[in-house]
Amino acid sequence: MILKLIVLLLLAVLVLVFLRAFAGLAVFALLACLAVAVVRALMMKPTAAKTATPPVCDASRAKVYGEKLSAMVKIETVSSRFDPDREKFRAFQQSLRALFPRVYAACEEYHPGDGLVLYLKSENPKGEPILLMSHHDVVEAKVEGWDHAPFSGDIDEQGRVWGRGTVDTKGSLMCELQALEELLEKGWKPETDVYITSSCTEEWSGPCATAIVDWLKARNVRLGMLLDEGGMILQEPVGGVKGRYAMVGVLEKGYGDVRFTARSHGGHASAPKKNSPLPRLGALMHDIDANSPFKAQITPTVREMFTRLAPNSSFALKLVFGNLWLFGPLLKKAMPMISPAAAAMMQTTCAFTTAKGSEGLNVLPTAASVTANLRFIHHQANEECLELLARRAKKHGVEMEVITQEQPCPIVDYTAKPFGLLEKVTAEIYPGYGVVPYVMTGGTDAKYYGDVCEHCLRFAPIEINNQQYGSIHSVNENLHAAALVPAVDFYKRVLVRYCANDL
């Protein structure tokens, strides 16, 4: 109902704008455009994704996979920039030997930056190598609020494996290793080199992934395809869109942190002066939050995402997504109300994260500060975004300091063969499911691999529900063991087809 009201409001605004500016022919042209849009929306037929069902699960395989993932979860691998000890990560990596003996017997093993590299050498490589990756470090997990202890690895009666890292991302790492384990068991010999890598500092953008990339560069390795974490398989990936979709990240935004500081002479809180540091910071934050200085744009990737989701959308969204030629400008304004995640795919974002003021409850601060986390979009340069923020800060009498910034990653071509391979394998393993390119609003280790790979695709082929998606970096993280079975088959099929040049 809300979506319909939003669309009706957009239509009304569009009509009023044109009526005020033009008369006669212009009104006729507007009505004609609206009629075309409605007809186009009515003619859209749902795709198979709307009624697709999960693959039939082999219960015996699910049990084995669930137990392996449980064993991996039980080894606590919380990473922090403030903890230099890497012994627990070495212990985790050592534990994989018993779980995947054929992989370790067949592969060369390396540990750049205390991470893990497994290298399966082809006898006569015929093309560029493929690399599968998933990190094994996790964020902290306090016990409060969990139905099962966060490092218990409990498997409940429904077959769900509980614990930190099940979704992010020991689950996909288990599937990658198990896929290679089963291929080797059948005597598979790849026709090109295969790498599996896993870092231990992904959660805080630490040095492990860059050490692995440097190791690859030193060996003059140029990858033909890389598959990392990122999107997964979701139902209703955007509110109002029905169906099952493999969401593949092809574009990763840049990263930045800035600090805003307001200063004064301080004073006693009993006689506060106007426009002290905290109110100035509050005014700045409200100004940025209510009036974003950044430019929203429907990029080709976002346009393709909306186009692929449109057929299974509600009529209101179908009307808008299917007619971006007409509603694009208004959609950029309305999207934050429809889906903040989708809105973040269209522009740079600025989120305020930490704050510091006076140490005394009755003391006005001489300096107060807040930090903001930025995710830079490709169509607006980092420097321009930072300059816009600096101007806004100056208007409120606030200083701005850039703590860190990283450029957006190269955009992956969703019309190229590696993405096409994921579409083909999805059709084979998950019949009927849609495959949708989208913009990664978070960060991955894949961002460091741009110098050694053109096709860095962010996708873990595991189906999760809304609760499991919401559990990432939160409480009650869990994963159905049944979801691991088709994911293992997915990785097997990708490896076999890629190494045979069957793209």
Side-chain angles (χ1 to χ4, degrees), residues 286-314:
H286 174 73
D287 189 3
I288 294 173
D289 193 57
N291 306 287
S292 173
F294 309 118
K295 180 169 54 180
Q297 184 172 312
I298 299 177
T299 63
T301 299
V302 173
R303 184 178 297 274
E304 184 69 14
M305 180 186 76
F306 288 149
T307 298
R308 296 193 185 200
L309 294 176
N312 297 330
S313 302
S314 63

Side-chain angles (χ1 to χ4, degrees), residues 168-481:
D168 184 20
T169 59
K170 290 180 180 178
S172 54
L173 178 60
M174 193 288 300
C175 292
E176 292 166 356
L177 292 168
Q178 184 64 25
L180 186 55
E181 182 82 1
E182 293 180 10
L183 288 174
L184 292 170
E185 183 180 11
K186 293 182 178 180
W188 180 64
K189 295 186 182 299
E191 297 174 63
T192 190
D193 292 347
V194 175
Y195 291 87
I196 294 180
T197 68
S198 184
S199 80
C200 60
T201 62
E202 189 276 343
E203 293 294 1
W204 52 280
S205 298
C208 185
T210 54
I212 294 174
V213 172
D214 289 342
W215 181 87
L216 292 169
K217 288 181 178 178
R219 297 166 66 96
N220 296 315
V221 174
R222 180 70 189 178
L223 302 168
M225 176 180 176
L226 176 157
L227 200 55
D228 190 15
E229 67 164 325
M232 301 180 80
I233 298 177
L234 304 172
Q235 281 188 273
E236 198 168 350
V238 175
V241 178
K242 303 298 183 182
R244 287 182 157 88
Y245 293 90
M247 304 298 295
V248 182
V250 298
L251 186 157
E252 185 171 328
K253 298 170 76 174
Y255 180 96
D257 293 301
V258 298
R259 180 181 292 110
F260 297 100
T261 302
R263 304 183 188 278
S264 75
H265 294 296
H268 199 287
S270 63
K273 297 179 180 179
K274 296 294 184 182
N275 209 27
S276 61
L278 287 173
R280 297 209 309 274
L281 289 173
L284 171 64
M285 288 189 286
H286 174 73
D287 189 3
I288 294 173
D289 193 57
N291 306 287
S292 173
F294 309 118
K295 180 169 54 180
Q297 184 172 312
I298 299 177
T299 63
T301 299
V302 173
R303 184 178 297 274
E304 184 69 14
M305 180 186 76
F306 288 149
T307 298
R308 296 193 185 200
L309 294 176
N312 297 330
S313 302
S314 63
F315 179 77
L317 289 183
K318 193 179 295 186
L319 182 64
V320 175
F321 290 170
N323 294 281
L324 294 176
W325 56 276
L326 180 61
F327 295 111
L330 296 175
L331 180 63
K332 290 186 290 186
K333 299 290 186 182
M335 185 51 73
M337 293 182 287
I338 301 173
S339 171
M345 298 180 192
M346 294 193 287
Q347 67 181 69
T348 294
T349 57
C350 176
F352 296 96
T353 52
T354 69
K356 184 178 180 181
S358 171
E359 297 293 337
L361 298 181
N362 64 342
V363 179
L364 296 176
T366 56
S369 63
V370 296
T371 60
N373 181 254
L374 303 171
R375 302 300 168 110
F376 298 105
I377 200 67
H378 291 68
H379 61 257
Q380 192 168 22
N382 290 22
E383 293 72 19
E384 180 183 346
C385 294
L386 293 170
E387 176 59 26
L388 290 170
L389 287 177
R391 289 181 197 169
R392 200 70 68 89
K394 185 177 180 180
K395 183 179 77 171
H396 292 276
V398 173
E399 303 167 10
M400 190 185 88
E401 170 196 0
V402 178
I403 301 171
T404 183
Q405 65 158 314
E406 297 173 355
Q407 296 295 325
C409 300
I411 301 173
V412 181
D413 184 1
Y414 59 81
T415 67
K417 287 184 177 180
F419 188 93
L421 174 61
L422 297 189
E423 292 180 300
K424 293 175 183 177
V425 174
T426 298
E428 295 166 359
I429 304 299
Y430 295 99
Y433 285 34
V435 181
V436 178
Y438 85 108
V439 178
M440 288 284 300
T441 55
T444 70
D445 274 341
K447 64 186 174 185
Y448 301 112
Y449 283 74
D451 289 343
V452 296
C453 185
E454 181 181 355
H455 299 282
C456 298
L457 295 164
R458 285 98 163 156
F459 174 64
I462 302 174
E463 185 160 2
I464 58 174
N465 59 33
N466 289 336
Q467 184 277 322
Q468 291 162 340
Y469 179 78
S471 73
I472 299 172
H473 290 200
S474 186
V475 299
N476 286 332
E477 188 175 352
N478 70 89
L479 192 62
H480 282 90

